[in-house]
Amino acid sequence: MKAFDRILRNGRICDGTGNPSFHGDIGISGDRIEAVGRLDAAQAAETVDISGLVVAPGFIDLHNHVDHGILAYPDANSYIMQGVTTSVVGNCGLSMAPVSDAHREDVRDYLKPFLNKKHPYSWEWSDLSGFFSCVEQSGTIQNLAPLVGQGTLRIAVKGFDPTPATGDEMAAMKKLLRAELENGAFGMSSGLIYPPGSYTGTEELQELARVVASFGGYYVTHLRNEGDRLIESVDEAIAVGEASGVSVQLSHHKAAGRGNWGKVNATLRIMEEARARGVDVTCDVYPYPAAMTTITSLLPSRALEGGIGAMLARLKIPEVRRELADEIWQGRMKEENWIRGIGWRNIVIAESRVEPRYAGMSLEEIIKERGGSDPFEAFFDWFLEIHGEATMVLFGMDEADVRTIIAHPLSAVISDSWVTAPEAGGRPHPRGYGSFPRLLGKYVREERVLSLEEGIRKITSMPAGKAGITRRGQIAEGFFADLVVFDPQTIRDRATFLDPHQYPEGIRHVLVNGQPVVTDNTLLGPRPGKILRK
Ligand SMILES: [Zn+2]
């Protein structure tokens, strides 16, 4: 008679493939699932009765920024409590490596607004392996699958220089990219709203994507514009796939700004047509109608040229202020124009390190508090006072669009957040605590936008397949025992925009590589996560 380390008994098994769920037991030995089915006769050192509960593969978040905080939060608190056992990191062009000696200061400036402030970063590493060996020293509760960020890569070669890459610079970028892919990176991400991603032309992206394709990796992109130029930006991403043969993922897909609502019906159709031509394009979505990013994204990217110091100096010049204000207010900005698109009222500060009291205030409130007749003058003055360092929540999407994308078979569901914990304070976007339980509570159970099996597929086998993560994302013999056990009747997100630091309800057990790490919102101690390599 077979003996396992652990048996989960009488669960409703959603195996991650999208196939109908079934009732059965799961036998685990070491870090693997050894048997699935009726295991009545089997023995185990530990048996857990999960009658009435669903067991699913551990959730795989294809898009988050856990790498920016994992050294401060090795228990990935806000993530592991949602059942996310694997995070794909290095998204939006913002990876922690490669780092060159010539541009170490530049990459620090670049990532500073995103990095968790609790940790002193040594910046002694030069490549992803170097960074992740720092992570391995404190351990990680989650598995992490790294991407190379195109912004970080470009900085390593030419800093914040906005000119097109020369032949030599192109060769240098490709060499660094190839080295990271040889070391197991899963693909390349871009963030085409953030300098220097925003300085990068389509051909430069295509040339890098050819290298990624030659390793079987994928290209994932935060589009150049998710508002007025959404369609053109989707076309650009597909053109990168078409020219290079790379598999393409559109990050946190949305239509930003009231005037663009409904455009996602067109973009989803464009994706279907591209797939019919042989481009492997898919997308992902976080289940909220509000975005979050850094405050500098409100300005045309040319305002950011030369890095943070140059930007702040420029914003002191009255003529520059006037030009920027006109460009925004008259709708000539080529990046997405949040101020004009959703108004000061719908832009709410999440965190401001320099002056914490601004957390939770809208720009309308901040401008009013400062007085004066010109809102842009008040905004620029405030912006200088906080050194341009704040994150913000943007209430700019349509709930119907969110639902349309979630329901579409080509979308994965993601969080697009940073790791945090209740003691961190501030008002982060609630997606960092609630994305996955919200999918299963609000969209699956309450609104029946999709079936439980399909919801689970979008956060397990689908992201695993896209990223090329093997032996995870399904409940099957020989797969790693990353598992989530939850109550399908009660699972729900509790984090809100006003009160975001709330763990979800209904998640009973989380296992990573065969080891229990969470039971009923309590961390059990071990950090069995691994750095994954393709
Ligand atoms: Zn992004």
Side-chain angles (χ1 to χ4, degrees), residues 378-446:
F379 169 67
F380 288 133
D381 286 342
W382 170 79
F383 191 93
L384 286 177
E385 268 176 40
I386 60 155
H387 312 313
E389 268 182 58
T391 50
M392 60 184 174
V393 176
L394 301 149
F395 293 89
M397 284 97 83
D398 184 14
E399 177 62 28
D401 282 354
V402 174
R403 215 176 291 133
T404 299
I405 303 173
I406 289 178
H408 198 282
L410 294 181
S411 72
V413 174
I414 50 115
S415 71
D416 188 21
S417 191
W418 284 261
V419 60
T420 185
E423 67 270 18
R427 291 256 185 98
H429 193 301
R431 66 193 178 187
Y433 282 93
S435 290
F436 297 86
R438 186 172 172 87
L439 169 69
L440 301 173
K442 178 178 163 73
Y443 293 99
V444 168
R445 183 183 61 240
E446 290 170 14

Side-chain angles (χ1 to χ4, degrees), residues 63 92 222 252:
H63 189 106
C92 296
H222 179 151
H252 41 59

Side-chain angles (χ1 to χ4, degrees), residues 8-15 19-26 38 50-57 444 451-454 456 475 484-489:
L8 306 182
R9 281 212 188 274
N10 303 315
R12 177 179 165 195
I13 299 174
C14 274
D15 69 5
N19 290 338
S21 58
F22 56 96
H23 283 82
D25 313 321
I26 299 175
R38 288 279 166 217
I50 56 168
S51 311
L53 303 173
V54 167
V55 56
V444 168
S451 69
L452 179 62
E453 288 86 346
E454 176 65 0
I456 295 289
I475 294 178
V484 183
V485 177
F486 63 91
D487 183 341
Q489 302 307 320

Side-chain angles (χ1 to χ4, degrees), residues 60-65 86-91 145-147 218 467 469:
I60 297 177
D61 189 354
L62 203 48
H63 189 106
N64 69 38
H65 299 279
T86 298
S87 285
V88 178
V89 296
N91 277 289
L147 297 166
Y218 74 114
I469 296 169

